[in-house]
Structures are given as C-alpha cells and as structure tokens.
Amino acid sequence: MSTAYRAPDLLINGQWCAGKHAMTMPIVNPANAQTLDHLHLASSDQIEQALQAAHRGFVIWQKVPAHERCARLERGVAKMRQNLEHIATLLTLEQGKPLAESRAECAMAADLIKWYAEEARRTYGRIVPARLPNSSMQVHKLPIGPVAAFSPWNFPLVLSSRKIGGALAAGCSIILKAAEETPASVAAMVACFHEELPEGALQLLYGVPSEVSEQLITSPLIRKVSFTGSVPVGRQLAQLSARHLKRVTLELGGHAPVIVCADADIDKTVTMMVTHKFRNAGQACLAPTRFYVDRQIEGPFLEAFVAASHRLVLGDGMQSTTQMGPLANARRAAAVRDLIGRSVEAGAKAYQAPVPSAGFFAPVTVLTEVTPDTPVMQEEPFGPVVTIAPFDTLDHALQLANNSPYGLAGYLFTDSARSIHQVTQGLEVGSLAINGIGVSVPEAPFGGVKDSGHGSESGTEGMEAFLETKFVHLCV
Ligand code: NAD
C-alpha cells in the first residue's frame, strides 16, 4: 500500500492550517482498532475566521458567471478522478469499507459534483406576462449565501459532495464540517477543488461538533444549513436553525421497507438485496432493512436470503477478497449488537454468521418472528441486520411498512401493475425503487418524509435548496 495515512489540516480562507483547539481526536482504523493519527480540531477563533472568509468568498464567487463556475468545478472533478485511488485508499483506512466500495463512492461523488456543475448553467428564472404596458415581470434565481454543511462518516465523500456540488454550482460559498472520524478522504476531495476557487468559497472544518454547529448556525453570516446524520442531531440543528430563521435541508436516518410479492423472482431479488443491504456493512440510510414477504414465498425467500448473506466474506477492506468490512467505529459495533440482543430478548429469532475477532465487526444477522414492537422494528439498525416478516395482503404489507417513524427509501419486487400502483400511492417514503435498487442518483431528488428529514438533495430540487427567488417588476 503506497498511501500513508495522515490526519488532514483544516482549510480556512484558502490556506491549509492545523487546528488550534485544545482537544485532538484519534482517527482509528476500524478493521484493526489501531490509531492512524490524531486530528487537530478547530478553535472558536478559527471558526470565526472561516465565517468571515465565507462571506468574502461568497461576494466573489456569486459573481463568477455560471459557465465559468461549471468549468472550474469540472476541472476539480477531473482532478478527483485522477486521484481516485489515493482518495479511496484513505477512505477504506479510516472508515473500513472494502476498497472496491471506496472507489465506487469516490466515482459517485465525482459524478454528483459533475452533475451539479452542469446544472449551474440551467438555474433558469422565468418571465411572467406583464400586467402593465412598457414593463416586464421577472423571476430571478440567486444563490442564497454562505452555507454551513454537516456530513457524516458513513459515506463521507458522497454525502459531502452533494453539499459541496450544490452550494458551489449555485454560486454560494460553503463551510463544510465533515465527520471527524473520517477526515482525510474528504480533505483529499476538497483539495481537488479549492485551487479552482476564490479563497473562502470552499472551506473545511473539523471540530467539536456541537461547538462548530452552534457557532456556524447562530452566525448572521450563514444563510443556509444542510445536515446529513442522525435524527436526534438533526432535530437539534433544526431547532437552532429555526431560532435564527435559517433555511434547512435535513437528510436523517431511514429504516427502509422491502415488499416482496408472491410473483417476485426470489433468486434475483435475494442476490440484488444482499449486495445492496450489506454494502458499507449496512451503514446506509437507504439500506433495505425491513423485509415484508408474501406468506406464500416466505420460507424459500428466508432460506435463500440467509444462505446468500452468510456466504459474504468479512474482513479488512484493504484485502481484495473482502465483501463486507467492519462497522465504522466501536460505538456503532456496540450499538448494533445491543439492538440485536434486545430484539432477541423480546422474542425475535436470529440467524447469524461468524465475525472476525479483530476490528469493529457486527455479525450479519437475519431476524425473524418480529412484531411491530420488537426494538429492531422501530430503531434504525444502521448495521448488517435485516428483519423478515410475512404479509397476507398488500394492504397488510403497506400498513406494516408504514408503521415506522422513518420514511426515506422503500423497495418493491413484483411484476403486477396493480401492486405497483398501490405501493407507489401508499408507501410513505421519499424514494421508491421497483424491481431494482436505484433510489439515489445525481439527477433525481433524494430526501425523506416523517422523521427522515425534509427537503431534497440532488436533482433540480437539490439545486433549488441553495437558491432564493427574487421577483423584479421593471417599468420603463
Ligand atoms: P450521532 O448522532 O452521534 O452523530 C451523527 C453525525 O452527526 C456524526 O457525523 C457527528 O459528527 C455529527 N454530529 C453530532 N453532533 C453534532 C452537532 N451537535 N452538530 C453537528 N454535527 C453533529 O450518531 P452516530 O453514532 O455517529 O451515528 C448513529 C446514527 O446516526 C445511526 O444510527 C444513523 O441513524 C444516523 N446516521 C445517519 C446517517 C445518514 O446518512 N442519514 C449518517 C450517519 C449516521
């Protein structure tokens, strides 16, 4: 392995600099629990410098024509693609996912920013037919202003790229506080763009999360908040933003239902869902988790799913044979095991595969005999855990699937037009994949309902989140 791991500096006002907070944070390789390096965190003075620079950066960047913004972001994307192997290696070392998944994540993050860059040229306003002679009525779309963005550790590149791409393409400046647990891959991605941008247009902070969010969100210089992470933190940041009347986009957790009808192809469905579910060890907000299977095929489906999921090869993500890596940190491994334990105590039956002894692994687990009150049915597992339960009618399946505080992604397997129509109308989710897995692509909106958040990222809706509307009534 040629990539040596080093905790990154902060990017403030166009300069990489060491954090000056009294605290540092260890960065740990989850595959072996070894400390890779220590991260120096931002002090309050440094956060204030970033705020001032974001304001100056916005004044300059918003005036750069959209064509030019697009060209500069595309040059950054090209650098990202050239550096893909390096960025992906950092990601696997600090986050644990298999290298092939890290490469795919880096490629997806580049695609996302590319799409937003192109979309910069299509942020059209409109002309409204005039009411008065010699006048025009125009609707302008303008960048909202400096953005404070917070991204998590599960898909650090993709989830940061949605914010970086949208904000910069729209003409906003952005201060990104990415997750302290996975800092180097995001810094390597940011490094591909910052030389293309005015100082302060794109800045990267790591700090004590509550200190950074409090200082950024309460600053009058910040005009927009974008957060991806857990429901409790999202709620907290939404309250803080509301007190200061900041526009907010929240992408919080999910507990995705999968409805498998009797006419589904069992082998095809299982193969697709096992790959999709155990990607990133199940630490994905859109991961399929609650399977509702028509009672007529429940037995063969369960047998096929347990067999396929237990064949997965677990190990260090740097090994080419590894299909599932560890969980990202010790906290998550303990939380997943605890949730499995409480669910089994409540009557669930567990089918579990063995795990490697070193590192933060949790067993691949299929839980059956669950009821709506089983802890795993209400709490997001965010790990390699699924539940499989039978349904008798599609109405019954929808009722079970909607009995959750979450509403992010959902999946349906059937060839029946009637079933597709019923689930499309009745399932309470922001994204639905039918006979496939593609709930999140750069050109379509991705967001949740209920506790899964509000607003969308990606697609034209994702761009709109960084724009405001000005009506201009011109009389000549
Ligand atoms: P957590 O609530 O402690 O932290 C979630 C993320 O928010 C982390 O990246 C953290 O650095 C950040 N954070 C925490 N407090 C913050 C604050 N006051 N201001 C700004 N950022 C803050 O949870 P965790 O243990 O890291 O993850 C557990 C749960 O989070 C999971 O079970 C899952 O539900 C959820 N999660 C969701 C996503 C997603 O993609 N929607 C991503 C990561 C985690």
Side-chain angles (χ1 to χ4, degrees):
M1 186 196 68
S2 59
T3 294
Y5 190 95
R6 195 177 87 72
D9 283 339
L10 314 174
L11 178 62
I12 298 174
N13 195 27
Q15 307 297 321
W16 292 98
C17 54
K20 293 186 179 158
H21 198 287
M23 277 175 65
T24 61
M25 225 192 94
I27 313 301
V28 177
N29 180 339
N32 55 23
Q34 303 285 313
T35 299
L36 291 160
D37 201 354
H38 286 83
L39 181 66
H40 291 262
L41 306 177
S43 66
S44 175
D45 284 351
Q46 289 178 307
I47 299 170
E48 183 55 33
Q49 285 163 20
L51 281 164
Q52 297 298 333
H55 173 67
R56 293 192 298 272
F58 173 59
V59 170
I60 299 168
W61 183 239
Q62 67 171 331
K63 296 196 184 106
V64 174
H67 264 73
E68 176 67 17
R69 289 205 297 270
C70 173
R72 294 204 205 179
L73 289 175
E74 286 189 333
R75 287 202 290 273
V77 168
K79 276 192 211 160
M80 231 183 123
R81 289 178 176 152
Q82 281 158 14
N83 287 298
L84 186 140
E85 201 58 29
H86 170 65
I87 300 172
T89 304
L90 293 173
L91 178 54
T92 290
L93 289 172
E94 63 191 9
Q95 203 274 348
K97 64 183 66 180
L99 192 52
E101 289 186 22
S102 293
R103 291 185 186 117
E105 179 174 345
C106 188
M108 173 68 162
D111 280 357
L112 273 154
I113 298 179
K114 173 94 165 71
W115 187 84
Y116 274 119
E118 292 163 352
E119 192 66 3
R121 299 183 298 191
R122 293 187 285 266
T123 50
Y124 308 126
R126 68 182 192 276
I127 303 290
V128 179
R131 279 185 160 235
L132 304 172
N134 299 321
S135 73
S136 83
M137 303 204 299
Q138 308 157 5
V139 179
H140 293 235
K141 291 289 177 182
L142 301 167
I144 188 166
V147 174
F150 305 89
S151 60
W153 44 262
N154 56 333
F155 288 92
L157 300 176
V158 158
L159 299 177
S160 300
S161 73
R162 288 199 182 127
K163 302 178 195 308
I164 292 173
L168 291 174
C172 300
S173 58
I174 175 168
I175 303 176
L176 174 69
K177 190 207 81 64
E180 287 68 27
E181 284 152 320
T182 53
S185 53
V186 177
M189 173 170 75
V190 164
C192 298
F193 293 90
H194 94 98
E195 282 171 6
E196 301 290 343
L197 303 168
E199 288 172 356
L202 170 60
Q203 301 182 88
L204 178 65
L205 295 181
Y206 293 108
V208 175
S210 55
E211 290 179 9
V212 183
S213 53
E214 171 90 23
Q215 196 171 342
L216 292 183
I217 295 171
T218 57
S219 165
L221 296 174
I222 293 297
R223 304 296 293 276
K224 159 89 192 175
V225 176
S226 179
F227 173 77
T228 303
S230 66
V231 175
V233 177
R235 212 182 286 283
Q236 208 180 312
L237 300 194
Q239 284 165 357
L240 192 57
S241 303
R243 276 209 294 282
H244 295 267
L245 296 177
K246 303 285 162 80
R247 259 172 65 184
V248 187
T249 299
L250 298 173
E251 201 269 86
L252 308 178
H255 200 336
V258 184
I259 298 177
V260 185
C261 297
D263 64 342
D265 179 325
I266 294 180
D267 288 341
K268 223 164 116 183
T269 306
V270 166
T271 305
M272 210 185 283
M273 283 286 102
V274 166
T275 309
H276 192 44
K277 166 66 205 179
F278 298 100
R279 192 171 60 111
N280 201 19
Q283 301 163 110
C285 49
L286 50 66
T289 52
R290 293 177 294 137
F291 286 72
Y292 298 106
V293 181
D294 190 303
R295 198 180 292 280
Q296 297 170 58
I297 58 163
E298 188 202 2
F301 184 88
L302 173 64
E303 196 181 324
F305 197 98
V306 170
S309 60
H310 286 194
R311 275 198 297 274
L312 290 169
V313 179
L314 276 57
D316 185 330
M318 293 304 292
Q319 304 291 329
S320 60
T321 47
T322 296
Q323 292 173 300
M324 190 185 107
L327 295 179
N329 52 55
R331 178 177 81 250
R332 287 307 311 153
V336 170
R337 286 173 185 273
D338 174 65
L339 181 59
I340 296 169
R342 284 187 288 121
S343 300
V344 169
E345 250 172 52
K349 180 172 175 190
Y351 298 81
Q352 289 188 310
V355 286
S357 51
F360 306 138
F361 287 88
V364 166
T365 304
V366 178
L367 293 170
T368 59
E369 294 171 36
V370 287
T371 69
D373 295 330
T374 312
V376 70
M377 299 308 279
Q378 293 301 328
E379 298 171 37
E380 180 185 25
F382 222 65
V385 181
V386 301
T387 65
I388 298 184
F391 70 83
D392 295 305
T393 64
L394 207 47
D395 274 339
H396 179 214
L398 279 171
Q399 192 192 338
L400 292 168
N402 288 338
N403 182 15
S404 162
Y406 293 103
L408 191 62
Y411 303 85
L412 169 67
F413 290 89
T414 181
D415 282 336
S416 153
R418 188 181 296 275
S419 303
I420 290 172
H421 180 71
Q422 192 176 341
V423 173
T424 302
Q425 297 296 310
L427 192 62
E428 295 169 356
V429 293
S431 289
L432 171 64
I434 301 166
N435 300 323
I437 58 168
V439 285
S440 168
V441 294
E443 57 274 23
F446 180 69
V449 298
K450 303 199 281 188
D451 282 3
S452 291
H454 60 79
S456 298
E457 297 191 288
S458 304
T460 47
E461 290 82 355
M463 191 73 171
E464 186 69 32
F466 295 102
L467 296 168
E468 61 192 357
T469 304
K470 183 183 277 180
F471 171 57
V472 178
H473 198 163
L474 170 69
C475 300
V476 292

